[in-house]
Amino acid sequence: QVQLVESGGGLVQPGGSLRLSCAASGKLFNHYDVAWYRRPPGAERELVAAIRNDFIPTYADSVNGRFTISRDNARNTVFLQMNSLNPEDSAVYYCNAVLKSAIGTMLYNLWGQGTQVTVSS
């Protein structure tokens, strides 16, 4: 079973950039669909970006054009490059990995511990 560890969060000024990493241990990572979620202070968790096991990405409207999700299966890692950050991007960011069977049955739904991103001057 895959385990996930996020890193790369921190404090950044508005307009700045950060790159988050989600490192996975275990086998079959290349078969997982992986997503980044975030939970802003006092708000519900929301989907930020996702990348399927066939490398097709999707983005929330709020980050489209500013964030880029990518994966390196050789390194068992998914990245979230975040540019043009604004205070509304401040949140705890979580990595999520889902493994489904050939018929779409969810086999594993895994979460990392989260990494804090704070955008402030």
Side-chain angles (χ1 to χ4, degrees):
Q1 182 173 335
V2 169
Q3 294 182 328
L4 307 174
V5 177
E6 300 100 331
S7 61
L11 174 64
V12 63
Q13 292 186 343
S17 299
L18 282 175
R19 188 173 83 153
L20 304 183
S21 298
C22 174
S25 62
K27 299 179 180 180
L28 301 179
F29 179 70
N30 57 312
H31 293 278
Y32 283 72
D33 298 328
V34 182
W36 285 96
Y37 288 78
R38 67 187 181 188
R39 188 190 299 273
E44 297 294 319
R45 185 174 61 196
E46 60 186 17
L47 177 65
V48 175
I51 187 164
R52 293 174 5 182
N53 57 16
D54 58 4
F55 291 83
I56 295 178
T58 56
Y59 299 94
D61 289 343
S62 59
V63 307
N64 198 19
R66 300 188 298 123
F67 291 11
T68 302
I69 189 170
S70 61
R71 66 190 298 163
D72 183 343
N73 286 342
R75 296 167 60 185
N76 273 14
T77 304
V78 170
F79 303 97
L80 184 67
Q81 177 66 44
M82 305 186 296
N83 299 327
S84 301
L85 286 161
N86 59 62
E88 290 70 38
D89 296 314
S90 296
V92 179
Y93 284 71
Y94 297 91
C95 181
N96 169 248
V98 172
L99 180 64
K100 296 180 180 178
S101 72
I103 60 172
T105 304
M106 183 177 293
L107 301 176
Y108 293 106
N109 183 17
L110 308 172
W111 292 89
Q113 82 288 351
T115 185
Q116 176 70 48
V117 171
T118 302
V119 185
S120 175
S121 55

